[in-house]
Amino acid sequence: MTKITIRLSRHLFALYDVQVTREQMIVKIEQLPALVQQAIQGATAEQLNHPYRPGGWTARQVIHHLADSHLNSYIRCKLIYTEAGPTLKAYSQDAWAHLPDASAGPIEPSLAILAGLHARWAAFFRALPEDAWDRVGYHTENGPTTLTRILEYYAAHGERHLVHIRQGIAAA
């Protein structure tokens, strides 16, 4: 049984009890780009620009956030694997989501990033030796983390934001 804590906002967390294997989590990482593509198929610009909740990000911003966040995490994974106790720098997700490239830019570049990145990320995870999973990096906001924890978090992170994309499109 793996307990996964997901940060829903700056101050709100949810704890999920799920029984999943490492391979099932890797498959979630691997499949996310196709699921995002399915979720946005036929969506209009108006739907992509609609927030999933009042004050929330738009589907467009969420797609760009997935590319930004998952790219940062992939790099953090490589740092943890190749360095001893690396510092993992935080960034302002909300500030990035409000930059013009994320708030108004075309989604196709981020969709392409997600497709290539998630293929690489899944291959990276599958190639890790067993002793690598507990290597530690130190996130500047969240403290120590491991490759196991990153896999758990981001498998769920993609699913959560996929729901947000669908909600934003449906609410428009």
Side-chain angles (χ1 to χ4, degrees), residues 135-155:
R135 290 181 60 90
V136 177
Y138 297 91
H139 192 278
T140 55
E141 288 181 352
N142 302 325
T145 193
T146 64
L147 292 172
T148 294
R149 182 70 187 104
I150 289 174
L151 175 60
E152 292 169 349
Y153 181 88
Y154 282 92

Side-chain angles (χ1 to χ4, degrees), residues 43-58:
T44 65
E46 178 185 348
Q47 289 173 309
L48 291 172
N49 292 327
H50 196 276
Y52 67 90
R53 64 170 169 75
W57 292 342
T58 66

Side-chain angles (χ1 to χ4, degrees), residues 1-4 16-22 25 148 152:
M1 182 78 74
T2 301
K3 290 184 187 243
I4 301 174
Y16 297 90
D17 287 330
V18 293
Q19 188 168 0
V20 293
T21 66
R22 186 181 292 156
M25 288 185 279
T148 294
E152 292 169 349

